[in-house]
Amino acid sequence: KNMSKSSTKTITVAIAGGGPSGLTLGRHLGREAPECFEVTIFERGAKDRDQGAGWDVSAEAQASLQRAGVNPQVYQCPGSDNMRFYKAGESDPLTVLRLPPYLERLGVKKAYLGLDECNLETERSKIINALVESLPPSTTVVNDTVISEATQDSEGKMELLGRDGSSLGKFDVVVDASGVSSRLRRTRFTE
């Protein structure tokens, strides 16, 4: 939708969770209508913490990441579809089998095992770094910040509170992308 700042007020958005989902949303809002949204992403973890690897990113997630400007080659782990066999105490593998071709030689199709939708594993840290680098100036990431609760004022703004009860700001919209351990999960406001 074509929106201009002169016809629309800036909507303040808080995203709880600076993982791939929260950052992708922040990137999409900033890319689609940067003059309409002021986005703050709150992440409880440190900026440089290890995010791990081993993700299998679905075709839909890859499309969303590409739309956000992140190329799959940036985060996929080459060789993650290989099986390596080692002799105890040895550092070099005895043999390496590339899983899809090996299965095909045995007459087994990936679909038979439910592997037809598997892609190369990914490095979560690389996804996050690429998304952070692509965020527009209207989007801010605040690390090392725990959200303890949200309240709503008489004007309908939602205020996020930090671990010590201090205000993290008031927002028009709050999106919870902080996962299963979210403190906001059960918070709902109605008009």
Side-chain angles (χ1 to χ4, degrees):
K1 188 174 180 179
N2 187 7
M3 301 166 73
S4 69
K5 192 166 185 131
S6 62
S7 65
T8 307
K9 75 172 194 133
T10 300
I11 298 170
T12 57
V13 179
I15 300 173
S21 295
L23 290 167
T24 299
L25 175 60
R27 174 65 173 114
H28 286 322
L29 291 174
R31 185 174 183 188
E32 301 296 326
E35 66 283 347
C36 296
F37 298 104
E38 182 180 310
V39 180
T40 304
I41 302 170
F42 295 98
E43 168 55 39
R44 69 177 162 249
K47 183 177 182 176
D48 58 352
R49 76 180 174 129
D50 180 22
Q51 296 285 327
W55 277 29
D56 181 41
V57 180
S58 70
E60 292 84 5
Q62 286 185 39
S64 183
L65 287 168
Q66 279 195 293
R67 183 173 164 215
V70 180
N71 185 329
Q73 279 74 35
V74 167
Y75 57 81
Q76 290 186 326
C77 301
S80 63
D81 58 352
N82 294 342
M83 293 173 50
R84 295 168 182 85
F85 296 90
Y86 294 86
K87 184 175 180 179
E90 302 270 331
S91 61
D92 294 326
L94 293 171
T95 189
V96 177
L97 300 175
R98 190 153 181 278
L99 190 57
Y102 178 72
L103 290 174
E104 289 170 10
R105 283 197 302 268
L106 295 175
V108 178
K109 295 187 186 230
K110 287 171 57 173
Y112 296 162
L113 303 174
L115 299 174
D116 53 326
E117 295 199 21
C118 287
N119 301 298
L120 293 177
E121 289 181 358
T122 63
E123 292 186 48
R124 181 180 165 103
S125 295
K126 288 184 178 181
I127 294 172
I128 289 171
N129 291 340
L131 286 165
V132 167
E133 289 173 13
S134 72
L135 292 173
S138 61
T139 301
T140 305
V141 178
V142 182
N143 288 89
D144 296 314
T145 305
V146 174
I147 297 172
S148 63
E149 68 177 296
T151 62
Q152 187 175 31
D153 68 17
S154 60
E155 296 173 7
K157 292 257 190 184
M158 283 141 303
E159 182 174 22
L160 295 180
L161 304 177
R163 178 178 283 153
D164 62 358
S166 64
S167 177
L168 300 173
K170 291 186 177 187
F171 302 90
D172 297 310
V173 177
V174 175
V175 178
D176 185 7
S178 58
V180 296
S181 62
S182 168
R183 300 226 172 152
L184 298 176
R185 187 169 285 270
R186 291 183 201 96
T187 304
R188 302 285 185 267
F189 297 111
T190 58
E191 294 185 61

